[in-house]
Amino acid sequence: PEASTHLPVVVLSRYACQRRTSTENHNEIFTDAFEVMAESYEFSQCDGQCLAFRRAASVLKSVPWPVERLGAATRLPCLGEHTRAVMEEILQCGRSFEVEKILCNDRYQRLKLFTSVFGVGPKTAEKWHRGGLRTLNDALEDPGVELNSMQKAGFRHHGDISRAVSRAEALALGEILHQAALGISAHAVLVLTGGFRRGKEFGHDVDFLLSTPEQGKEETLLLSLVDSLRRQGILLYCDHHPSTFDINNLPGVSFEAMDHFAKSFLILRLEDRQVEGGVQRPEGQHDGRSWRAVRVDVVAPPMERYAFTLLGWTGSRQFERDLRRFARKEKRMLLDNHGLWDKTKKEFLPAEREEDIFAHLGLEYLEPQLRNA
Ligand code: DCP
Ligand code: MG
């Protein structure tokens, strides 16, 4: 009754996996502000408030027009008192003073700077901040700071890694990895996942899934692939995590945690000439080099787990979170990157394709391009 007779009423689900979210965001003015709020709460380990702002941002990303007032034609779920207050401020003043205060905050600025280094999480950043460090140079020069090898690589390539990776660069890396994988096994399967599979034009890294129909050979394949990149001289850093996957241990406390498949977190050297259409360096970044460093993640599940891992690594993070929450709360099922457990039937549900998993959950299938929640 409150809706205007001219406008259709849009009712959005509180689960991101029941909303269509393309890469086109009409509400950036709110979602950018919410991201600052979420990050600030994350730095203070206030997980509840952090999640509330991430959820609210995710809802707004799925509204296909700029929201001009609260209520009325669009029923927005997941908006609490605080998120609404920030929105109202932006609607009235064009900006949020609470967000601006955070952006000027010393602690926020430093934690943001420190966590921009690959290998430095909120806990280390907080420790450095409490130790009085202000700049990245402080962290490098302080005798009390002991950097691990990941952080050393993070500092060495900080400029490159902080710069967004373009779609053309992601595709070029895909070609290099694909050729290297096929050089090892003719049956190797390599697919682009993460944000680029969702159609994003830029990302902070490039995510790949590697597998093979040869049972039990996926981890060896990944190790051989990394070795091949090393011999090509393009491996700048590798942090390999061996597989700890054991189907007999599922479902356990590990549900929702990071998956147990073999994976490598890499930094690779990408030559400008390998990128289709060439590389346009931003103003002031011409340092005479003809290459850049790029963060690349590769996960290697066994083929029969392929669909679950592909779904899990395609993201977005908020989409994954809600898929799992939906499975648990609405279907009494446990979903993670390894499988889907039906608590009622007490059995694993098989899936060859992502479509099978959506079907088990009674969800309409959503293309990766609509999972940008
Ligand atoms: N993921 C995971 N376990 C990891 C790393 C990632 O399950 N160790 C999942 C979570 C994300 C997806 O993979 O849904 C991709 O992670 P990214 O952090 O790379 O996020 P995106 O690719 O979506 O965005 P970006 O453009 O920042 O890379
Ligand atoms: Mg990514």
Side-chain angles (χ1 to χ4, degrees):
E2 67 186 87
S4 141
T5 45
H6 308 292
L7 286 169
V9 178
V10 176
V11 182
L12 292 167
S13 167
R14 57 201 180 91
Y15 292 108
C17 53
Q18 291 185 309
R19 300 192 296 259
R20 307 160 81 81
T21 317
S22 73
T23 52
E24 211 178 329
N25 179 357
H26 299 271
N27 289 285
E28 233 161 29
I29 185 166
F30 306 115
T31 59
D32 284 353
F34 286 2
E35 186 47 41
V36 173
M37 297 294 298
E39 216 165 22
S40 164
Y41 280 124
E42 191 171 31
F43 289 156
S44 308
Q45 269 124 57
C46 300
D47 299 345
Q49 279 122 311
C50 171
L51 191 59
F53 276 97
R54 292 245 154 90
R55 271 208 188 125
S58 170
V59 166
L60 285 168
K61 284 181 191 171
S62 72
V63 182
W65 55 76
V67 172
E68 278 163 7
R69 59 206 157 99
L70 287 173
T74 314
R75 306 268 181 81
L76 300 175
C78 310
L79 288 190
E81 218 173 294
H82 198 176
T83 47
R84 276 174 184 276
V86 173
M87 264 185 96
E88 289 286 11
E89 226 188 342
I90 295 173
L91 285 168
Q92 278 165 28
C93 317
R95 57 203 190 135
S96 154
F97 297 98
E98 192 175 2
V99 169
E100 287 188 355
K101 220 170 101 191
I102 293 171
L103 289 172
C104 296
N105 180 278
D106 274 349
R107 176 170 174 276
Y108 173 83
Q109 287 179 1
R110 283 180 211 155
L111 264 62
K112 183 96 181 130
L113 176 68
F114 295 152
T115 54
S116 76
V117 178
F118 173 52
V120 179
K123 294 221 172 85
T124 304
E126 175 69 36
K127 201 170 76 190
W128 290 357
H129 166 66
R130 265 189 281 123
L133 308 188
R134 291 162 168 273
T135 65
L136 292 182
N137 257 334
D138 288 351
L140 282 172
E141 287 162 6
D142 192 296
V145 170
E146 185 116 14
L147 299 177
N148 63 32
S149 64
M150 187 184 261
Q151 293 161 345
K152 279 180 192 158
F155 272 104
R156 200 157 45 238
H157 303 291
H158 183 255
D160 277 4
I161 292 177
S162 311
R163 222 171 74 227
V165 184
S166 72
R167 183 163 202 90
E169 289 171 329
L171 295 178
L173 280 160
E175 198 48 43
I176 292 166
L177 264 65
H178 199 202
Q179 286 313 316
L182 288 179
I184 299 155
S185 162
H187 308 294
V189 173
L190 182 91
V191 285
L192 184 62
T193 127
F196 288 111
R197 182 163 182 251
R198 301 196 308 273
K200 276 174 59 175
E201 286 302 320
F202 293 94
H204 96 281
D205 68 357
V206 194
D207 306 286
F208 293 100
L209 189 158
L210 175 74
S211 195
T212 166
E214 294 174 88
Q215 261 197 349
K217 293 282 167 62
E218 57 283 341
E219 178 153 23
T220 322
L221 176 62
L222 175 56
L223 289 169
S224 309
L225 175 71
V226 172
D227 212 46
S228 159
L229 300 172
R230 185 179 289 121
R231 279 185 276 109
Q232 288 181 47
I234 63 172
L235 186 72
L236 299 171
Y237 175 80
C238 173
D239 175 30
H240 181 76
H241 293 249
S243 168
T244 53
F245 176 65
D246 179 355
I247 191 75
N248 300 313
N249 289 344
L250 299 177
V253 280
S254 68
F255 258 90
E256 287 233 25
M258 169 117 98
D259 64 64
H260 293 274
F261 301 125
K263 58 179 78 67
S264 296
F265 302 128
L266 312 172
I267 300 177
L268 298 182
R269 176 185 164 119
L270 178 65
E271 304 292 333
D272 291 355
R273 61 176 161 74
Q274 292 173 304
V275 181
E276 181 130 4
V279 170
Q280 295 291 315
R281 295 232 187 278
E283 200 79 30
Q285 284 202 17
H286 295 276
D287 53 5
R289 274 189 300 146
S290 56
W291 61 276
R292 67 163 294 179
V294 184
R295 276 270 304 109
V296 172
D297 287 348
V298 189
V299 63
M303 203 53 120
E304 88 268 5
R305 305 280 121 204
Y306 175 92
F308 295 102
T309 316
L310 182 63
L311 179 61
W313 278 64
T314 298
S316 69
R317 275 170 203 278
Q318 201 53 45
F319 188 87
E320 302 299 330
R321 242 180 234 139
D322 279 4
L323 255 184
R324 290 164 192 203
R325 197 162 57 99
F326 179 86
R328 204 175 56 237
K329 302 238 163 166
E330 309 293 331
K331 300 284 155 175
R332 280 182 43 85
M333 291 182 190
L334 296 175
L335 171 71
D336 70 6
N337 291 358
H338 314 100
L340 179 61
W341 174 258
D342 187 324
K343 291 207 273 187
T344 312
K345 293 187 186 161
K346 294 197 173 50
E347 65 180 25
F348 284 105
L349 305 178
E352 272 180 35
R353 298 150 22 104
E354 286 178 322
E355 284 87 337
D356 301 334
I357 305 170
F358 282 84
H360 284 315
L361 293 170
L363 288 169
E364 182 193 340
Y365 177 71
L366 286 185
E367 305 280 341
Q369 287 77 8
L370 293 175
R371 301 181 204 161
N372 288 285

